[in-house]
Amino acid sequence: MAPNPAHTTLWPAPHASEAVAATVHVPGSKSVTNRALVLASLASEPGWLRRPLRSRDTLLMAAALREMGVGIEETVSSSSSGAGSPDGTGEAWRILPAGLRGPATVDVGNAGTVMRFLPPVAALADGPVHFDGDRRSYERPLNGVVDALRVLGARIDDDGRGALPLTVHGGGALDGGTVEIDASSSSQFVSALLLSAPRFNQGVEVRHTGSTLPSVPHIRMTVDMLRAVGAQVDTPESGGEPNVWRVTPGALLGRDLTIEPDLSNAQPFLAAALVTGGRVLIPDWPARTTQPGDRLREIFTEMGGSCELADYGLVFTGSGSIHGIDVDLAEVGELTPGIAAVAALADSPSTLRGVSHLRLHETDRLAALTKEINELGGDVTETADGLHIRPRRLHGGIFHTYDDHRMATAGAIIGLAVEGVQIENVATTAKTLPDFPELWTGMLGV
């Protein structure tokens, strides 16, 4: 696995000379923003998204929906002008649903939500919609969505690859019905079908046939957001069959939704408090949420910190010690890179389990973490479903990112405690966390 030669710029990861004491305003959730964009575009009336995340993944989603005819008006207001969103503060996107149309061309970049959530939307368009993306997107599994859509009545040209590039020949409607899929490689296969299902003539019944199902909280997020816009959804948690989700056809309501902070993107800042024995406040941390990142409170507390959740946000405090952990991350796999970085600095070994599906993410995250931490002097080995990390004295060096935003933030965490770490292509963090270098140096008072 070779680093991308197109990205040779090195960013010196700041080294922390003292305990961090900072308030960090984390931008909105990518997962919530992109689900909200899809649901608002399929609604029967206009809606608002307030404080949406503006990042590569969300802008790709918005651009794709515009290509298919959806109106998305971006407004930014100030306290002096009072313009923009209904409460006159902050950024808001006004979503104006329209008849979905083709021909259209969608650039998915390397965004899993775009490449998986939008083919079902395209099946409802009147005309062909072509999907293409970054080189790595061709390697990411899409067969669960493609095969399911064919069973439900869609016509798709992918030359038998079950991957990008492909063309969905929208017929203006889709029959829907019952479909079996194996979502072991990505829970997004399930979410993709559920999000558009209210617009299918028969709705949908999705039956997961695989032996494992990663990132279940993301499916719960999809279900909660569907119900919030008026959809009827039966789930295993609501008394239905195990691994079966049913969505009844019906109109979706326009909503006025304020996007939560991205709790997974809060991870490096919480890790900074843990690594430096400092204190970080993340404002507006929700008391109730389906975001997987909320589990950081439990995991980082077990690794040596403490937290307090108040009305104004989450305060996380490091103790000055970092402990190893044995943890199953199957439901929260996206947190693995940051946890691995902290574990490499701990006082005892760690085992991270249940994340074999990370080999199919933006990069092979298990191989990438093993290689990069070991090249800084670490001792990481891959297991069948995760990583075993034995802390060692680390040294400086180049930390490659493989166009993966969470690899970049993992390297920055290590750089807090290890002088001389240089992050290759830190700009890849713009995928979900715009201005990460500025937020990071601001936290450190640099």
Side-chain angles (χ1 to χ4, degrees):
M1 181 176 57
N4 188 337
H7 300 298
T8 57
T9 302
L10 300 179
W11 180 67
H15 181 257
S17 58
E18 57 186 18
V20 167
T23 296
V24 181
H25 292 269
V26 177
S29 164
K30 176 203 75 173
S31 297
V32 175
T33 299
N34 274 358
R35 283 166 172 78
L37 279 168
V38 172
L39 291 172
S41 298
L42 296 174
S44 59
E45 57 190 353
W48 283 95
L49 301 187
R50 301 189 203 176
R51 300 181 191 171
L53 174 67
R54 288 185 59 87
S55 72
R56 187 184 187 214
D57 280 16
T58 61
L59 293 176
L60 284 168
M61 180 68 86
L65 291 165
R66 286 190 181 106
E67 270 283 299
M68 288 188 273
V70 177
I72 302 177
E73 300 175 352
E74 301 181 32
T75 61
V76 181
S77 67
S78 64
S79 56
S80 60
S81 69
S85 62
D87 64 354
T89 59
E91 181 168 1
W93 293 353
R94 179 71 162 164
I95 315 299
L96 303 170
L100 298 168
R101 64 168 186 262
T105 298
V106 169
D107 175 11
V108 309
N110 191 20
T113 52
V114 181
M115 72 179 70
R116 291 166 182 150
F117 291 178
L118 289 188
V121 176
L124 299 169
D126 186 9
V129 180
H130 182 68
F131 290 81
D132 208 336
D134 297 352
R135 179 180 59 183
R136 171 62 180 171
S137 71
Y138 291 13
E139 303 169 12
R140 300 185 68 181
L142 197 55
N143 56 298
V145 175
V146 171
D147 294 346
L149 285 175
R150 287 191 175 120
V151 170
L152 297 175
R155 184 162 69 92
I156 301 174
D157 292 336
D158 67 343
D159 293 331
R161 289 183 304 271
L164 294 173
L166 57 82
T167 299
V168 178
H169 294 275
L174 193 68
D175 290 340
T178 300
V179 64
E180 293 186 350
I181 64 170
D182 183 350
S184 299
S185 60
S186 177
S187 68
Q188 289 177 352
F189 294 169
V190 176
S191 288
L193 297 170
L194 300 184
L195 286 168
S196 293
R199 291 282 304 273
F200 299 167
N201 293 338
Q202 302 173 44
V204 79
E205 178 180 292
V206 178
R207 293 180 166 268
H208 167 58
T209 60
S211 57
T212 62
L213 184 60
S215 303
V216 172
H218 278 121
I219 299 178
R220 296 190 190 114
M221 176 186 294
T222 298
V223 170
D224 282 2
M225 293 184 68
L226 275 162
R227 288 172 172 162
V229 294
Q232 181 179 329
V233 188
D234 295 324
T235 70
E237 293 83 2
S238 62
E241 298 177 57
N243 293 325
V244 177
W245 297 263
R246 296 184 181 90
V247 180
T248 302
L252 297 179
L253 307 174
R255 276 206 63 191
D256 186 338
L257 177 67
T258 299
I259 306 296
E260 298 174 354
D262 194 311
L263 306 188
S264 295
N265 278 341
Q267 181 181 38
F269 306 102
L270 300 181
L274 189 55
V275 169
T276 68
R279 178 181 179 275
V280 168
L281 164 63
I282 308 293
D284 302 319
W285 193 286
R288 285 189 66 260
T289 180
T290 53
Q291 288 193 59
D294 192 46
R295 197 168 162 209
L296 286 167
R297 293 190 288 150
E298 169 197 337
I299 293 170
F300 277 173
T301 295
E302 187 174 343
M303 296 186 80
S306 62
C307 64
E308 177 189 359
L309 182 59
D311 290 343
Y312 51 82
L314 179 74
V315 178
F316 189 84
T317 306
S319 64
S321 298
I322 307 171
H323 310 311
I325 191 171
D326 186 329
V327 61
D328 187 334
L329 299 175
E331 291 199 349
V332 293
E334 65 195 50
L335 305 180
T336 302
I339 294 169
V342 172
L345 304 170
D347 57 16
S348 58
S350 294
T351 300
L352 313 184
R353 296 178 284 105
V355 288
S356 59
H357 60 285
L358 295 190
R359 294 186 171 99
L360 301 170
H361 275 216
E362 281 80 346
T363 189
D364 179 342
R365 284 179 171 165
L366 300 184
L369 287 164
T370 300
K371 179 177 183 294
E372 297 309 315
I373 294 174
N374 286 351
E375 289 194 353
L376 299 182
D379 185 1
V380 182
T381 55
E382 285 191 61
T383 65
D385 71 339
L387 300 172
H388 187 63
I389 302 167
R390 289 164 289 271
R392 295 287 186 269
R393 184 178 180 85
L394 302 182
H395 56 72
I398 297 175
F399 196 93
H400 298 100
T401 63
Y402 311 91
D403 295 329
D404 186 335
H405 55 128
R406 301 206 191 278
M407 286 296 297
T409 53
I413 292 168
I414 292 173
L416 291 172
V418 180
E419 292 192 69
V421 174
Q422 299 182 82
I423 311 297
E424 170 258 352
N425 187 26
V426 74
T428 195
T429 53
K431 184 178 193 292
T432 62
L433 187 53
D435 304 323
F436 169 74
E438 291 79 6
L439 286 170
W440 196 246
T441 54
M443 173 191 68
L444 296 169
V446 177

